[in-house]
Amino acid sequence: MSASEKAKAKTEQAAGKAEKELGRAVGNERVAAEGESKEAKGDLRSAKEKGKDAFKG
């Protein structure tokens, strides 16, 4: 996994989690859903990079 892609994935995951928790704390479902979406995008980016590494051997 390239360092820049790994950093992007971790950043997306952290930002998404923070936004999701903020949305839940204030009772805003839309913000919570957007945060969950960003967190999932970071998870997918991380999984994609791990898959690439697996094929490299």
Side-chain angles (χ1 to χ4, degrees):
M1 182 184 306
S2 73
S4 65
E5 288 297 311
K6 185 176 182 179
K8 283 182 187 178
K10 291 293 181 185
T11 302
E12 284 177 341
Q13 289 169 335
K17 184 171 184 143
E19 187 174 350
K20 178 176 70 174
E21 294 303 321
L22 175 67
R24 287 183 179 166
V26 298
N28 189 327
E29 292 180 22
R30 183 183 61 80
V31 172
E34 287 176 2
E36 196 168 326
S37 174
K38 287 179 185 178
E39 188 176 7
K41 184 177 176 184
D43 292 342
L44 289 173
R45 184 185 301 271
S46 179
K48 177 187 81 169
E49 291 301 316
K50 287 180 182 178
K52 283 183 185 178
D53 288 345
F55 283 112
K56 288 182 182 178

